[in-house]
Amino acid sequence: MAAGSMLLISGPSGCGKSTICDRLLTDARVVYSVSATTRAARPGEVDGVDYHFLSKEQFRAHIEAGEFIEHAEVHGNMYGTLRAPMEAAIAAGKVYLVEIDVQGALQLKALDVPGIYVFIAPPDFETLRERLTGRGTETPEVLERRLQKAEDELRERDKYDHVVINDDLEGAVSKIQALAGLA
Ligand code: ADP
Ligand code: 5GP
């Protein structure tokens, strides 16, 4: 069986990563990388499906055991990508969908982890603000922090293989499917 590949989706908070990943996951050839995190589950989130929800001690033990291919602190919580499921999915010929923040993506790039690195950009900064506000999941203070961080993250877009502007959702999903050989 031919080896699969890693499809990495990254970009600032509110740019549409989760929405795009949900669409990509309707294809049976795509497998989602379930990250580990120390943040609390949001209503509706399922342990082992959305994230592996870990205590700080458990997370630290995974770091010490070398089980993460990358890990980073994002918005005050720890997040990490597990190595073993990625290797298994790629060996099984799947497209392994990794949705992580910009720091994590650049760590994988620096490690030369093979894959398709896609930066999702909002059409413009005002739209990003509107989408984040519209999602209604952040307090005003957290929202401002995420927007400040987004300005820095947008400057990193040239380090990726591809930049896809999430203006029209269907168009953005189709572009990514074509990049990953899923079209
Ligand atoms: P992220 O996972 O990057 O933080 P989300 O997928 O949660 O972002 O998207 C942020 C908000 O923007 C959500 O409310 C989502 O429904 C909306 N959204 C995503 N893509 C589009 C789009 N192309 N057009 C309009 N709204 C969008
Ligand atoms: P949220 O808490 O909103 O689900 O995610 C916050 C941020 O953490 C998002 O930018 C998301 O892409 C990122 N993230 C999720 N999993 C990982 C991971 O395994 N590693 C890194 N570096 N970032 C992650």
Side-chain angles (χ1 to χ4, degrees):
M1 190 192 292
S5 54
M6 177 182 78
L7 171 60
L8 182 144
I9 300 287
S10 186
S13 186
C15 68
K17 298 182 294 296
S18 307
T19 309
I20 288 172
C21 287
D22 285 348
R23 297 296 299 271
L24 294 170
L25 284 163
T26 59
D27 187 321
R29 294 169 291 180
V30 182
V31 173
Y32 185 62
S33 167
V34 180
S35 294
T37 184
T38 60
R39 88 150 157 74
R42 294 183 186 135
E45 283 185 332
V46 178
D47 188 26
V49 175
D50 298 287
Y51 281 104
H52 299 288
F53 294 101
L54 303 182
S55 65
K56 286 183 184 150
E57 292 69 32
Q58 288 170 322
F59 197 96
R60 215 171 296 129
H62 280 290
I63 297 176
E64 278 160 20
E67 288 169 26
F68 292 127
I69 193 160
E70 66 74 37
H71 60 89
E73 187 178 331
V74 187
H75 312 304
N77 293 300
M78 294 302 296
Y79 294 81
T81 306
L82 292 158
R83 190 187 303 275
M86 165 145 33
E87 288 173 355
I90 292 176
K94 299 290 186 183
V95 170
Y96 197 62
L97 181 62
V98 174
E99 193 249 89
I100 60 176
D101 90 313
V102 172
Q103 300 169 69
L106 297 180
Q107 280 185 51
L108 294 183
K109 201 68 171 139
L111 288 169
D112 271 334
V113 175
I116 305 151
Y117 289 73
V118 182
F119 186 94
I120 309 294
D124 52 62
F125 202 76
E126 238 352 271
T127 309
L128 184 67
R129 177 184 288 278
E130 282 164 18
R131 285 188 189 166
L132 258 183
T133 312
R135 192 171 69 182
T137 48
E138 276 78 31
T139 60
E141 191 203 2
V142 170
L143 194 131
E144 282 313 315
R145 229 186 302 140
R146 289 190 176 213
L147 284 170
Q148 264 172 27
K149 191 163 174 235
E151 279 189 328
D152 295 334
E153 290 172 336
L154 285 165
R155 282 192 276 275
E156 306 282 13
R157 65 167 84 192
D158 294 341
K159 296 184 179 157
Y160 289 70
D161 302 327
H162 307 278
V163 177
V164 171
I165 297 173
N166 181 19
D167 189 349
D168 160 56
L169 180 63
E170 303 305 322
V173 170
S174 302
K175 270 187 205 142
I176 297 166
Q177 284 169 328
L179 292 172
L182 295 164

